[in-house]
Amino acid sequence: MAGFFTCGLDQVFIHLCSCLGGEVNYVWNLEKNLAALEETMKELRARRADVLTKVQRQESEGLQRLNEVEVWLTSVENIQNQVYKLLLTRSDELERLCLCGLCAKNLSLSQSYGKRVFEMLKEVEDVQSKGVFEVVAGLPTIAVAVERPLPKTIVGQEKMLERALMHLMDDKTETMGLYGMGGVGKTTLLEQINNYFIEHPVDGVEKVIFVVVSSELRVEMIQDEIAEKLGFRMEEWKQKEKHRKVTALYTRMKTKKFILLLDDIWKEVDLKEIGVPFPTRANGCKVVFTTRFREVCGQMGVDDPIEVKCLESNEAWDLFRAKVGKITLESHPDILELACQVAGKCHGLPLALNIIGKNMASKRTVEKWEQAVYTLASSAAEFPGMKDHILPILKYSYDSLKGEHVKSCFLFPEDFAIKKGEVGRLLDMRKIHRCKARKKDG
């Protein structure tokens, strides 16, 4: 009986082979290939984990993973997903088989599945064979700094830039502060410092990092900006918890000579909380920041900050003239004198000179210029561009003043004459007037 059964199996196998050729082996070896696929995939995942651990360790030391390694890691992820989907129907396919794998309820489906398992096994083995690397990372190829776009016309900052660079490059300087009112040109100055290191590489400086902080200090946002410019892989970086970001940044930056440029800070920035090593003469690192407030410089440990002031009258006129343009200024003999008056109303503030100058560039009648002089003198807030670009900046500075008493000092009319020692008395009178007005309204 056993002999008869064996003979029957052989006849079935011969019959299947004659019908399907060698492809019947996909069904015959399905269980064996599935087991081999699972085992090979397990080994591949282990190899990927080992390679990734080595890569991450070397990245924390400031190196950059090789492209071939990144391609291989990605291919492992892709094929792992494909294997997972293929094995989802493993149990159903095995149940479909009967008679020891030689006969199937639906031989065509089993043959198709078996072929896919076999081909996937070969792909996994191929990927596994390519995952042997003697070197997984090398020196980074990222630039020293990312160039910042500058205004087309910059006037009056040549000496300020030279002074700032000389102070920054002094070995005694660890942290440098630039302070001044909103719209005075602090950001432009800091951007010029950033770009200087692209055009004039300084021996030993490996990385210049520019980060905009603004009034709402968000530590993780600053961390993300720094990480991106240090070459961290942002997909993996975004998955890290905050304290792990601190450790990763500190580990990477402690081996580099860096210059960190922080634009528009409104209060003390805790470098330790971010993960930035403190700049010292020993490590040669430096931190430069801009702020509107002199007291913030003290909070950052800077007792000799550089004040960025408004332009002198001749510099202010040069900037305003460049924005308005020669054709407009020469379109009528009286416009030049009126333009000087308009420029004077900007009081040397670069932002105002830029915005108002561009708005007046198309005005080529005396009436338009006379209207501009009148508007700036009587109701400057109504001037085009003022509400959107200039007033928000000035309002930020005004709102940040401490106490209503201090704010009241800025509420007197333009050109209002105040004798020395009269400010306190005038403020008291203003306060009494407001109280009477409130009582009357009540």
Side-chain angles (χ1 to χ4, degrees):
M1 183 70 178
F4 174 78
F5 184 69
T6 303
C7 180
L9 289 177
D10 290 341
Q11 290 176 351
V12 172
F13 181 69
I14 292 170
H15 177 68
L16 288 173
C17 287
S18 65
C19 294
L20 300 174
E23 293 192 352
V24 73
N25 287 321
Y26 297 138
V27 179
W28 181 264
N29 296 318
L30 179 57
E31 286 192 79
K32 182 178 71 174
N33 288 340
L34 280 169
L37 178 60
E38 288 184 300
E39 183 61 28
T40 308
M41 195 64 233
K42 181 179 178 182
E43 294 172 359
L44 181 58
R45 282 195 296 266
R47 180 167 296 180
R48 179 184 182 277
D50 291 340
V51 171
L52 190 58
T53 298
K54 188 175 181 181
V55 167
Q56 291 173 338
R57 183 174 65 249
Q58 294 194 10
E59 283 183 335
S60 70
E61 296 170 356
L63 299 180
Q64 184 176 4
R65 71 177 69 181
L66 300 179
N67 289 332
E68 63 173 336
V69 175
E70 175 59 21
V71 170
W72 182 80
L73 290 171
T74 302
S75 68
V76 174
E77 287 184 15
N78 291 337
I79 203 165
Q80 182 173 272
N81 292 333
Q82 295 174 39
V83 170
Y84 174 76
K85 292 179 181 178
L86 187 61
L87 294 180
L88 282 176
T89 58
R90 179 179 185 272
S91 299
D92 292 340
E93 293 294 341
L94 288 175
E95 287 179 6
R96 192 195 304 276
L97 297 177
C98 63
L99 294 179
C100 302
L102 292 179
C103 181
K105 294 176 181 177
N106 192 328
L107 188 58
S108 177
L109 290 175
S110 296
Q111 180 270 332
S112 176
Y113 181 75
K115 183 178 181 180
R116 283 187 286 142
V117 170
F118 176 79
E119 290 174 345
M120 186 62 70
L121 174 60
K122 294 304 177 186
E123 285 186 45
V124 173
E125 289 174 342
D126 180 60
V127 173
Q128 185 182 32
S129 68
K130 294 176 180 177
V132 180
F133 304 98
E134 291 185 9
V135 180
V136 297
L139 294 175
T141 56
I142 52 179
V144 172
V146 177
E147 185 174 3
R148 302 283 300 184
L150 295 173
K152 183 179 180 181
T153 306
I154 301 176
V155 176
Q157 287 202 339
E158 296 85 357
K159 292 182 180 179
M160 179 65 67
L161 176 61
E162 183 180 351
R163 178 188 171 193
L165 286 170
M166 285 184 61
H167 186 62
L168 176 61
M169 300 315 296
D170 190 326
D171 290 340
K172 297 178 183 177
T173 302
E174 298 168 358
T175 305
M176 183 174 82
L178 304 169
Y179 76 100
M181 68 180 296
V184 79
K186 302 182 298 298
T187 296
T188 300
L189 183 59
L190 195 65
E191 289 173 333
Q192 290 181 85
I193 292 173
N194 177 85
N195 291 357
Y196 174 86
F197 290 99
I198 299 175
E199 301 168 4
H200 308 87
V202 176
D203 186 39
V205 176
E206 299 173 77
K207 193 65 186 167
V208 179
I209 304 167
F210 192 106
V211 180
V212 179
V213 179
S214 74
S215 57
E216 292 184 16
L217 197 162
R218 294 184 293 240
V219 171
E220 286 204 66
M221 185 203 73
I222 299 174
Q223 290 175 322
D224 293 347
E225 286 273 351
I226 296 175
E228 185 174 8
K229 287 165 184 173
L230 286 176
F232 280 91
R233 303 194 63 79
M234 297 312 293
E235 300 85 2
E236 298 174 8
W237 175 264
K238 292 293 179 69
Q239 305 303 317
K240 292 180 183 288
E241 296 178 357
K242 183 179 177 181
H243 72 280
R244 294 194 180 279
K245 290 182 178 181
V246 172
T247 303
L249 283 181
Y250 183 82
T251 303
R252 176 75 62 90
M253 297 182 76
K254 73 177 182 180
T255 62
K256 292 184 178 295
K257 185 175 180 180
F258 65 84
I259 297 177
L260 178 61
L261 308 176
L262 301 174
D263 186 37
D264 193 25
I265 71 173
W266 288 62
K267 57 184 177 181
E268 180 184 3
V269 176
D270 188 346
L271 299 180
K272 182 179 179 182
E273 185 182 5
I274 297 169
V276 176
F278 288 103
T280 65
R281 295 184 65 177
N283 61 28
C285 299
K286 298 177 185 290
V287 172
V288 185
F289 63 87
T290 67
T291 181
R292 300 182 187 183
F293 315 110
R294 176 66 175 78
E295 60 265 28
V296 172
C297 297
Q299 295 169 5
M300 293 292 291
V302 178
D303 56 8
D304 58 343
I306 297 175
E307 183 180 5
V308 182
K309 299 179 180 179
C310 289
L311 299 177
E312 298 291 339
S313 57
N314 59 326
E315 296 171 335
W317 171 246
D318 287 344
L319 177 57
F320 187 77
R321 181 175 57 186
K323 292 298 176 183
V324 175
K326 183 179 179 180
I327 295 177
T328 295
L329 291 175
E330 294 180 354
S331 60
H332 190 282
D334 294 340
I335 285 182
L336 188 63
E337 174 59 31
L338 292 167
C340 289
Q341 294 181 42
V342 173
K345 296 295 181 181
C346 298
H347 301 288
L349 185 67
L351 178 64
L353 291 162
N354 274 293
I355 298 299
I356 294 175
K358 285 189 288 187
N359 272 294
M360 297 305 298
S362 60
K363 309 297 189 294
R364 296 178 182 176
T365 65
V366 174
E367 290 76 18
K368 292 287 186 182
W369 281 90
E370 288 176 340
Q371 179 63 33
V373 173
Y374 174 78
T375 301
L376 288 170
S378 58
S379 54
E382 301 301 319
F383 195 89
M386 187 74 73
K387 188 175 297 184
D388 294 332
H389 300 285
I390 300 175
L391 290 184
I393 290 178
L394 299 179
K395 186 176 185 299
Y396 261 129
S397 298
Y398 175 79
D399 289 343
S400 65
L401 294 172
K402 296 179 180 179
E404 295 299 321
H405 189 76
V406 177
K407 290 181 179 180
S408 297
C409 295
F410 294 87
L411 300 180
F412 293 102
E414 182 183 11
D415 299 326
F416 186 81
I418 305 175
K419 294 182 180 180
K420 186 177 180 180
E422 285 191 344
V423 174
R425 181 179 64 82
L426 290 171
L427 289 176
D428 289 339
M429 290 175 62
R430 181 183 288 274
K431 189 183 296 184
I432 293 170
H433 177 74
R434 285 203 303 267
C435 289
K436 288 181 178 179
R438 281 197 293 268
K439 288 180 180 178
K440 184 178 180 180
D441 292 340

